[in-house]
């Protein structure tokens, strides 16, 4: 092994350079519905990024179903 090929990095940097699930998710720039993960549209929940737009749309659907049951 050639020590000149080694680089001192933190454990987090080493994990993020890999191909594991944490690294793949960290590189993901959009949610599954195509909304951008940026500061304005993203919040953290239990250590995971959540899309605010998708959450808002889920809440609308839930309220609509509840209203339909209440009036039905």
């Amino acid at each position: 092994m050639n020590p000149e090929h080694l680089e001192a990095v933190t454990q987090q940097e080493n994990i993020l350079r890999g191909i594991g699930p944490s690294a793949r998710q960290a590189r993901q720039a959009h949610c599954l519905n195509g909304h951008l993960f940026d500061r304005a549209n993203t919040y953290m929940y239990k250590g995971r990024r959540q899309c605010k737009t998708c959450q808002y749309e889920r809440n609308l659907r839930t309220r609509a179903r509840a209203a339909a049951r209440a009036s039905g």
Side-chain angles (χ1 to χ4, degrees):
M1 178 175 356
N2 185 347
E4 293 181 14
H5 292 167
L6 300 177
E7 181 181 5
V9 296
T10 64
Q11 182 179 6
Q12 181 181 7
E13 177 67 24
N14 192 46
I15 289 170
L16 293 177
R17 287 180 177 184
I19 59 171
S22 298
R24 286 195 313 267
Q25 189 170 19
R27 286 190 291 268
Q28 198 175 19
H30 296 83
C31 73
L32 294 176
N33 294 314
H35 305 119
L36 184 63
F37 277 132
D38 60 5
R39 281 187 178 259
N41 189 45
T42 307
Y43 69 96
M44 297 297 287
Y45 179 71
K46 294 186 179 181
R48 299 187 69 143
R49 292 182 297 177
Q50 300 290 320
C51 174
K52 288 182 181 180
T53 303
C54 290
Q55 183 61 47
Y56 177 75
E57 291 171 357
R58 277 191 299 274
N59 289 344
L60 286 179
R61 287 191 303 271
T62 300
R63 286 188 205 120
R65 282 193 305 269
R69 280 194 305 266
S71 66

